[in-house]
Amino acid sequence: MRTSSLVSLAAALSTTYAQVLQGFNYGSVFTNGAPVTRQDYVDRFNTARQLQGTSGFTSARLFTMIQGGTANAPIEAIPAAIATNTQLLLGIFLSSTDEAFENEQAALRSAISQYGQEFADRVVGISVGSEDLYRISPTGIENLSNPGEGPDAVIRRINAVRSTISGTILGEKPVGHVDTWTAYVNSSNSAVIEACDFIGTDAYPYFQTTQANSIENGESLFFDAYNATVSVAGGKPVWITETGWPVSGPTSGQAVANLDNARTYWDRVGCRVFGQVNTFWFTLQDAFPTAPSPSFGIVGTTLSTTPLYDLSCPADSSSAPESSASSTPSREDASSGATGPSSAPSTGETPVATSNGETPEGPSNGETSNAPSPVQTTPAVENPSGAAGSPNPVPKIKTIVTYTTITTCPVTYTEGAETKTSTTTSAVEVTSTQGSTLATVITSPTSGSGGAPSPPSGAKSCPADLSGTFEYPHLIVPVDKEQPDVAAGTSYNGIFSPSVSSIFNFDLPPSLAGRTCSLVFLFPTRDTLQTSNFTLSGSGGIEVTRLVSPATEETTFNNQPAVNTTVNTIPDVQPGNSYTIGSGGCFAGARSSYKVSATGSLDLEYFQDYNPSPIGLYITNHQTIASNAQAFMEKSPLQTESEASTKDDRDDRVLARLGKKSVLKRRFGFLALCGFTTTILVTWEGSLILFVNGLNNGGSAGLVYGYLFVWLGTIAVFTTLAELASMAPTTGGQYHWISQLAPPSIRTFMSYIMGWIVICGWMAILAGSGYLCGTQIEAVIQLNNPDYVPQRWHGTLLFWATVLVAVIINTILGRLLPAIEIVMLIVHILGYFGVLIPLVAMAPQKASSHDVFTVFENGGEFPSQGLSFLVGLIGTVFAMFGCDSAVHMAEEVQNASVNVPWAMLVTTLFNGAIGFGMVLAVLFVTIDITSVLESPVAALGFPYIQIFYDSVGSAGGATAMTVILLIMTVCGTISALATSSRLIWAFARDRGLPFWRHVQMGSAIPVYAVVVASITACVIGLINIGSTVAFNIVISLSVASLYASYIITESFLLYRRCTGGIRSRNSLDDTTEPGVLVWGPFHLPGIFGIAVNIFAVCFGVIVFVFSFFPVAYRPGADGMNFSVVMTAAVVVFSVLYYVIWARKEFKGPIVEVTAYATHPGMVG
């Protein structure tokens, strides 16, 4: 495949990236001094681009390169920007010591080395210093600003940064300085301007107390300041790096800080500059966890896409990018004096035709101008040294309205077997202003509407133009069938050739709900392009398909998403045309992905660009196509109502809210998931196997009442976990939830430790389940052959055979696993009656109710009966825990936010009920427990087999009953392997494991993770050959580890729900804002939910503590419970490993995709 850089076309590009920057300012610490973490930046970057009422905030300006709380580690905004595809204006903080500056430089060097090209692709510039010149000015000193730097020092620092990046991947990035406009107009600082590639100006009318700075004058004060900066910039690009109006705070001069004024300033200033000038507004959020005074944040203490005031722009303002003068400059552009994002007085511009058909220099020749209008006409600055405080006269606003014809090129569509075209013409009103406003481009009223002058008609050619609102692709990924496993990553080029196709991702805001969107391909002639180019050979057209899920930077030809539907085929693509591929209901609030492939011998590569003459694939939501073309669009929509409501689509959107792309196939429905969790719980089977523990410590009465207590506590635990599963149904489960619930300062660390705890717990369950299978087989053999002498290696080989069966079902038969689980559920239910009926009906004797319900025992000789009772609970706990397995399969479950929590609750209730019946049955038929415990099969750990034999009176009958339990234990091993492998896969996906690059591979079934889990279990089984005691020590992790994860997760959830940190779900609309915790469809509201949560935590603490107790008060070496040692070992290992290695790789759950949500979910 050809390189995506189009080196041969580079000389034709006047900018390195033609998008006008629009973003916010971001610091490194919160108002309480806590560092802003990677996930915090991800949350804020996602919130910025999804703000209600506005769009396009996909850039970020940083004040420093150093991560908060560190000496010189790179700021974690960088990986967050890579994950969210956010552009960065880097900041090097000055006004401090040489050592501090060197730390900034060290962080910059580390970032280049650590993040490589992905980092460089998102850097739009480097700002050396922020308001340093202002701080040493009389005004800055008067306002007690931090120590500043003089012009010579700033220039020296700028040159030092240039030296640092020279020869690196950032070597060609523009380097500039940010300061107040008053500093720039001071002639003593002119050398700084000369040293910069671009100028960043900060202007706050709110603080200009020496002037009449009420909100009524805010607009004119800002533009006076901006124009003053432009006038002294010497043609250098001028970016707006800080401006805004506070939502609260003290009155400053005549400026009142409140929401109404902040909204007014946004309308009059922000809406004029967005899309025209590179702008970084101050700010998205500055009130977390406490609000400063004044506070400028457009969102409050709670991060939300719902702003404090309306961000929609008035109809008379424009936020659509118009001119290449507003795009990000390259170093070459800046050094040659190219006009940057703001436009100094423009020279050499092709004039726009006036309403009488003439240009200012001569009569019109009938051609449509493709040159951009100047962004603004700079007024004369009568007082360039405005730093002294003398106000500039506010120039009068003079508006000149002109019309230029925009011809929408032929729309190609298909009607039957015939290809047709239609053409429409519309006008664009170009409002060029003098004074304190910027030029705007607004689509004029359609022809025939009252009150609008008729625009001129006629165009020499048919260049492709965008008028109205449109969406730019946020990711372009080429896939090459000749290099099927190569991920080309992000590209700025579209490539359509016989071997290469391109995939385009579009993020459509929720505001488009209910509207019609059109997918269009614009292909102007080369002579109309100013900032782009293309190569074209061969002949043919394009085929456009919609994919089932979005592409990522790791997408290759072999792993690309499957095709959902073919949208359309354009048989012949030629320059000078635009093509409407299809039209229909917008995928509002979601990410859509389209693949464009060449037909025939077409070989086209172009640089995707939207100004001043757009080229490439776009989505528009205004209709300028003819009615006959529209008829076709209605037959071939981009989205139908049935497609929009599919469960898979909904699940993918929920998963995208959590930052994850859908990879595993969703084969599990509700019934299959119930079968899956049932085979993990195997409560009635487990109660038979483990009932002796409770009988020894507690007696028959203790076992009965202890069972009911454990059942009630388990219901509370899994009901609370079910609420979390409904909020965030992700395979990571507990470690992912902790990354969202825990405080920012510890969330990454806690998430990592939690990952290891949960994985080790489930590996212990897998090993224990396989071991039970092997030893039960030995017990059956011994029952039928009393001369058989079991050996430890026999049990290990049988254990391995069980794991092998589980591996085959989880891999070769993996696609049948849901059906197998349903069969398992049926066997579980039928087997229950197959054991219960003969057990009760054929037992020769039965105990009295008095013996069953009133007799307590303290076989462990503990100091009190109560302590003995609590120790005896653990056997019942083991028979009921592990229902979180449903969570770890969530990414393979349909309608996961509903089915996962309900499956957890239903199976806990159902299994608990039938398990209680089995406990009662075995207590009533067990008359002489001493003789049972002295039997050979009891020596192997299975006294229930002797009870079967005593009840039915034959080895054959007891064997048949035991085989039912054996089958269910094998099924439990199958499900345990599935669960543990999914956890390993998820943790590797988030780079929590040292071999993550290998384990995370796989698509429909995580085969590598299954292999890792099974081999690990088999290795653990080897321990049994040497020492059964040592083996039991290892598998004793299960209860303590999982209950530790339950307690910690549910404790953080309790804190969040008691402090109002989780928003209620809107029952009328599933759409919710990302950046906040939102209850899912399964939720216990109010005080009832809090009470259940509290009881779940308290019960979990009881289980956790007594899981470490031995079964006897004075145990021997064989009776010791070493689970506390193993649990501590896992924690210590994970902490040390995190400190030594993992903290460099693991940054919490990786954000693989960003998407708007149409379903409740949770992102931190």
Coordinates of all heavy atoms in Angstrom, one line a residue, residues 761-811:
G761 N -8.9 -15.0 42.3 CA -10.0 -15.7 42.9 C -10.7 -16.6 42.0 O -11.1 -17.8 42.3
W762 N -10.9 -16.2 40.7 CA -11.5 -17.1 39.7 C -10.6 -18.2 39.3 O -11.1 -19.3 38.9 CB -12.0 -16.2 38.5 CG -13.4 -15.7 38.8 CD1 -13.7 -14.4 39.2 CD2 -14.6 -16.5 38.8 NE1 -15.1 -14.4 39.4 CE2 -15.7 -15.6 39.1 CE3 -14.9 -17.8 38.5 CZ2 -17.0 -16.0 39.2 CZ3 -16.2 -18.2 38.6 CH2 -17.3 -17.3 38.9
M763 N -9.3 -18.0 39.2 CA -8.4 -19.1 38.9 C -8.5 -20.1 40.0 O -8.4 -21.3 39.8 CB -7.0 -18.6 38.7 CG -6.8 -17.8 37.5 SD -7.3 -18.7 36.0 CE -6.3 -20.2 36.1
A764 N -8.6 -19.7 41.3 CA -8.8 -20.6 42.4 C -10.1 -21.4 42.2 O -10.1 -22.6 42.5 CB -8.7 -19.9 43.7
I765 N -11.2 -20.8 41.8 CA -12.4 -21.5 41.6 C -12.3 -22.5 40.5 O -12.7 -23.6 40.6 CB -13.5 -20.5 41.2 CG1 -13.9 -19.6 42.5 CG2 -14.8 -21.2 40.8 CD1 -14.9 -18.5 42.2
L766 N -11.6 -22.1 39.4 CA -11.4 -23.0 38.3 C -10.6 -24.3 38.7 O -11.0 -25.4 38.4 CB -10.7 -22.3 37.1 CG -10.2 -23.2 35.9 CD1 -11.4 -23.9 35.3 CD2 -9.5 -22.4 34.9
A767 N -9.5 -24.0 39.5 CA -8.7 -25.1 39.9 C -9.4 -26.0 40.9 O -9.4 -27.2 40.9 CB -7.4 -24.6 40.6
G768 N -10.2 -25.4 41.8 CA -10.9 -26.1 42.8 C -12.0 -26.9 42.2 O -12.3 -28.1 42.6
S769 N -12.7 -26.4 41.2 CA -13.8 -27.1 40.5 C -13.2 -28.3 39.8 O -13.8 -29.4 39.8 CB -14.5 -26.2 39.5 OG -15.5 -26.8 38.9
G770 N -12.1 -28.2 39.1 CA -11.5 -29.3 38.4 C -11.0 -30.4 39.3 O -11.2 -31.6 39.1
Y771 N -10.5 -29.9 40.5 CA -10.0 -30.9 41.5 C -11.2 -31.7 42.1 O -11.1 -32.9 42.3 CB -9.3 -30.1 42.6 CG -8.9 -30.9 43.8 CD1 -7.8 -31.8 43.7 CD2 -9.6 -30.8 45.0 CE1 -7.4 -32.5 44.8 CE2 -9.2 -31.6 46.1 CZ -8.1 -32.4 46.0 OH -7.7 -33.2 47.1
L772 N -12.3 -31.0 42.3 CA -13.5 -31.7 42.8 C -14.0 -32.8 41.8 O -14.4 -33.9 42.2 CB -14.6 -30.7 43.1 CG -14.5 -29.9 44.3 CD1 -15.7 -28.9 44.4 CD2 -14.5 -30.8 45.6
C773 N -13.9 -32.5 40.5 CA -14.3 -33.4 39.5 C -13.4 -34.7 39.6 O -13.9 -35.8 39.6 CB -14.2 -32.8 38.1 SG -15.4 -31.5 37.8
G774 N -12.1 -34.5 39.6 CA -11.2 -35.6 39.7 C -11.3 -36.4 40.9 O -11.4 -37.7 40.9
T775 N -11.4 -35.8 42.1 CA -11.6 -36.6 43.3 C -12.9 -37.2 43.5 O -13.0 -38.3 44.1 CB -11.2 -35.7 44.5 OG1 -12.0 -34.5 44.4 CG2 -9.8 -35.3 44.6
Q776 N -14.0 -36.6 42.9 CA -15.3 -37.3 43.0 C -15.3 -38.6 42.1 O -15.9 -39.6 42.5 CB -16.4 -36.4 42.4 CG -16.9 -35.4 43.5 CD -18.1 -34.5 42.9 OE1 -19.2 -34.8 43.2 NE2 -17.7 -33.6 42.1
I777 N -14.6 -38.5 41.0 CA -14.5 -39.7 40.2 C -13.7 -40.8 41.0 O -14.1 -42.0 41.0 CB -13.7 -39.4 38.9 CG1 -14.5 -38.5 38.0 CG2 -13.4 -40.7 38.1 CD1 -13.8 -38.0 36.8
E778 N -12.7 -40.4 41.7 CA -12.0 -41.4 42.6 C -12.9 -42.0 43.6 O -12.9 -43.2 43.9 CB -10.8 -40.7 43.3 CG -9.6 -40.4 42.3 CD -8.5 -39.8 43.1 OE1 -8.7 -38.7 43.7 OE2 -7.4 -40.4 43.1
A779 N -13.8 -41.1 44.2 CA -14.7 -41.6 45.2 C -15.7 -42.6 44.7 O -16.0 -43.6 45.3 CB -15.4 -40.4 45.9
V780 N -16.2 -42.3 43.4 CA -17.1 -43.3 42.8 C -16.4 -44.6 42.5 O -17.0 -45.7 42.7 CB -17.7 -42.7 41.5 CG1 -18.5 -43.7 40.7 CG2 -18.5 -41.5 41.8
I781 N -15.2 -44.5 42.1 CA -14.5 -45.8 41.8 C -14.3 -46.6 43.1 O -14.5 -47.8 43.2 CB -13.1 -45.5 41.2 CG1 -13.2 -44.9 39.8 CG2 -12.2 -46.7 41.2 CD1 -11.9 -44.4 39.2
Q782 N -14.0 -45.9 44.2 CA -13.8 -46.6 45.4 C -15.1 -47.2 46.0 O -15.1 -48.2 46.6 CB -13.2 -45.6 46.5 CG -12.7 -46.3 47.8 CD -12.0 -45.4 48.7 OE1 -12.5 -44.4 49.2 NE2 -10.7 -45.7 48.9
L783 N -16.2 -46.4 45.8 CA -17.5 -47.0 46.2 C -17.8 -48.3 45.5 O -18.3 -49.2 46.2 CB -18.6 -45.9 45.9 CG -20.0 -46.4 46.2 CD1 -20.2 -46.5 47.7 CD2 -21.0 -45.4 45.6
N784 N -17.4 -48.4 44.3 CA -17.7 -49.6 43.5 C -16.6 -50.6 43.6 O -16.8 -51.8 43.2 CB -18.0 -49.3 42.1 CG -19.3 -48.5 41.9 OD1 -20.4 -49.1 41.8 ND2 -19.2 -47.2 41.9
N785 N -15.4 -50.2 44.0 CA -14.3 -51.1 44.1 C -13.5 -50.8 45.4 O -12.6 -50.0 45.4 CB -13.4 -50.9 42.9 CG -12.2 -51.9 42.9 OD1 -12.1 -52.8 43.8 ND2 -11.2 -51.7 42.0
P786 N -13.9 -51.4 46.5 CA -13.3 -51.1 47.8 C -11.8 -51.3 47.8 O -11.1 -50.7 48.7 CB -14.1 -52.0 48.8 CG -15.3 -52.3 48.1 CD -15.0 -52.4 46.6
D787 N -11.3 -52.1 46.9 CA -9.8 -52.4 46.9 C -9.0 -51.2 46.3 O -7.8 -51.2 46.3 CB -9.5 -53.7 46.2 CG -10.1 -54.9 47.0 OD1 -10.3 -54.8 48.2 OD2 -10.5 -55.9 46.3
Y788 N -9.7 -50.3 45.6 CA -9.0 -49.2 44.9 C -8.4 -48.3 46.0 O -9.0 -47.9 46.9 CB -10.0 -48.4 44.1 CG -9.4 -47.1 43.5 CD1 -8.4 -47.1 42.6 CD2 -9.9 -45.9 44.0 CE1 -7.9 -46.0 42.1 CE2 -9.4 -44.7 43.5 CZ -8.4 -44.7 42.5 OH -7.9 -43.6 42.1
V789 N -7.1 -48.0 45.7 CA -6.3 -47.1 46.6 C -6.0 -45.8 45.8 O -5.1 -45.9 44.9 CB -5.0 -47.7 47.1 CG1 -4.3 -46.7 48.0 CG2 -5.3 -49.0 47.9
P790 N -6.7 -44.7 46.0 CA -6.5 -43.5 45.2 C -5.1 -42.9 45.5 O -4.6 -43.0 46.7 CB -7.6 -42.6 45.7 CG -8.0 -43.1 47.0 CD -7.8 -44.6 47.1
Q791 N -4.5 -42.4 44.5 CA -3.2 -41.7 44.6 C -3.4 -40.2 44.2 O -4.3 -39.9 43.4 CB -2.2 -42.3 43.7 CG -1.9 -43.8 43.9 CD -1.3 -44.1 45.3 OE1 -0.5 -43.3 45.8 NE2 -1.7 -45.2 45.9
R792 N -2.6 -39.4 44.7 CA -2.8 -38.0 44.4 C -2.6 -37.7 42.9 O -3.3 -36.8 42.4 CB -1.8 -37.1 45.3 CG -2.2 -37.0 46.7 CD -1.4 -35.9 47.4 NE 0.0 -36.1 47.5 CZ 0.6 -36.7 48.5 NH1 -0.1 -37.0 49.6 NH2 1.9 -36.9 48.6
W793 N -1.7 -38.4 42.3 CA -1.5 -38.1 40.9 C -2.7 -38.6 40.0 O -2.9 -38.1 38.9 CB -0.2 -38.8 40.4 CG -0.1 -40.3 40.4 CD1 0.3 -41.0 41.5 CD2 -0.5 -41.2 39.4 NE1 0.2 -42.4 41.2 CE2 -0.3 -42.5 39.9 CE3 -1.1 -41.1 38.1 CZ2 -0.6 -43.6 39.2 CZ3 -1.3 -42.2 37.4 CH2 -1.1 -43.5 37.9
H794 N -3.5 -39.6 40.6 CA -4.7 -40.0 39.9 C -5.6 -38.8 39.8 O -6.2 -38.5 38.8 CB -5.4 -41.1 40.7 CG -4.6 -42.4 40.7 ND1 -5.0 -43.5 41.4 CD2 -3.5 -42.7 40.1 CE1 -4.2 -44.5 41.2 NE2 -3.2 -44.0 40.4
G795 N -5.8 -38.1 41.0 CA -6.7 -37.0 41.0 C -6.3 -35.9 40.1 O -7.1 -35.2 39.5
T796 N -4.9 -35.7 40.0 CA -4.4 -34.6 39.2 C -4.7 -34.9 37.7 O -5.1 -34.0 36.9 CB -2.9 -34.4 39.4 OG1 -2.7 -34.0 40.8 CG2 -2.4 -33.3 38.5
L797 N -4.5 -36.2 37.3 CA -4.7 -36.5 35.9 C -6.2 -36.4 35.5 O -6.6 -35.9 34.5 CB -4.3 -38.0 35.6 CG -2.7 -38.2 35.6 CD1 -2.4 -39.7 35.3 CD2 -2.1 -37.4 34.4
L798 N -7.1 -36.8 36.4 CA -8.5 -36.6 36.2 C -8.9 -35.1 36.2 O -9.8 -34.7 35.4 CB -9.3 -37.4 37.3 CG -9.2 -38.9 37.3 CD1 -9.8 -39.5 38.5 CD2 -9.9 -39.4 36.0
F799 N -8.2 -34.4 37.0 CA -8.4 -32.9 37.0 C -8.0 -32.3 35.6 O -8.8 -31.6 35.0 CB -7.5 -32.3 38.1 CG -7.3 -30.9 38.1 CD1 -8.2 -30.0 37.5 CD2 -6.3 -30.3 38.9 CE1 -8.0 -28.6 37.5 CE2 -6.1 -28.9 38.9 CZ -6.9 -28.1 38.2
W800 N -6.9 -32.8 35.1 CA -6.5 -32.3 33.8 C -7.5 -32.7 32.7 O -7.7 -31.9 31.8 CB -5.1 -32.8 33.5 CG -4.0 -32.2 34.2 CD1 -4.1 -31.1 35.1 CD2 -2.6 -32.5 34.2 NE1 -2.9 -30.8 35.7 CE2 -1.9 -31.6 35.1 CE3 -1.8 -33.4 33.5 CZ2 -0.6 -31.7 35.4 CZ3 -0.5 -33.5 33.8 CH2 0.2 -32.6 34.7
A801 N -8.0 -33.9 32.8 CA -8.9 -34.4 31.8 C -10.2 -33.5 31.8 O -10.8 -33.2 30.8 CB -9.3 -35.8 32.1
T802 N -10.6 -33.1 33.0 CA -11.8 -32.3 33.2 C -11.5 -30.9 32.5 O -12.4 -30.4 31.8 CB -12.1 -32.1 34.6 OG1 -12.4 -33.3 35.3 CG2 -13.4 -31.2 34.8
V803 N -10.3 -30.4 32.8 CA -10.0 -29.1 32.2 C -9.9 -29.2 30.7 O -10.3 -28.3 29.9 CB -8.6 -28.6 32.7 CG1 -8.1 -27.3 32.0 CG2 -8.7 -28.3 34.2
L804 N -9.4 -30.3 30.1 CA -9.4 -30.5 28.7 C -10.8 -30.5 28.1 O -11.0 -29.9 27.0 CB -8.7 -31.8 28.4 CG -8.6 -32.2 26.9 CD1 -7.8 -31.2 26.1 CD2 -8.0 -33.6 26.7
V805 N -11.7 -31.1 28.7 CA -13.1 -31.1 28.3 C -13.6 -29.6 28.2 O -14.3 -29.2 27.3 CB -14.0 -32.0 29.2 CG1 -15.5 -31.7 28.8 CG2 -13.6 -33.4 29.0
A806 N -13.3 -28.9 29.3 CA -13.7 -27.5 29.4 C -13.1 -26.7 28.3 O -13.7 -25.8 27.7 CB -13.4 -26.9 30.8
V807 N -11.8 -26.9 27.9 CA -11.1 -26.2 26.9 C -11.8 -26.5 25.5 O -12.0 -25.6 24.7 CB -9.6 -26.6 26.8 CG1 -9.0 -26.0 25.6 CG2 -8.9 -26.1 28.1
I808 N -12.1 -27.7 25.3 CA -12.7 -28.1 24.0 C -14.1 -27.4 23.8 O -14.4 -26.8 22.8 CB -12.9 -29.6 23.9 CG1 -11.5 -30.3 23.8 CG2 -13.8 -30.0 22.7 CD1 -11.6 -31.8 23.9
I809 N -14.9 -27.4 24.9 CA -16.2 -26.8 24.8 C -16.1 -25.2 24.7 O -16.9 -24.6 24.0 CB -17.1 -27.1 26.0 CG1 -17.4 -28.6 25.9 CG2 -18.3 -26.3 26.1 CD1 -18.2 -29.2 27.1
N810 N -15.0 -24.7 25.3 CA -14.9 -23.2 25.3 C -14.2 -22.7 24.0 O -14.2 -21.5 23.8 CB -14.1 -22.7 26.5 CG -14.9 -22.4 27.7 OD1 -15.6 -21.4 27.8 ND2 -15.0 -23.4 28.6
T811 N -13.6 -23.6 23.2 CA -12.9 -23.2 22.0 C -13.6 -23.8 20.7 O -14.3 -23.1 20.0 CB -11.4 -23.5 22.1 OG1 -11.3 -24.9 22.4 CG2 -10.7 -22.7 23.1

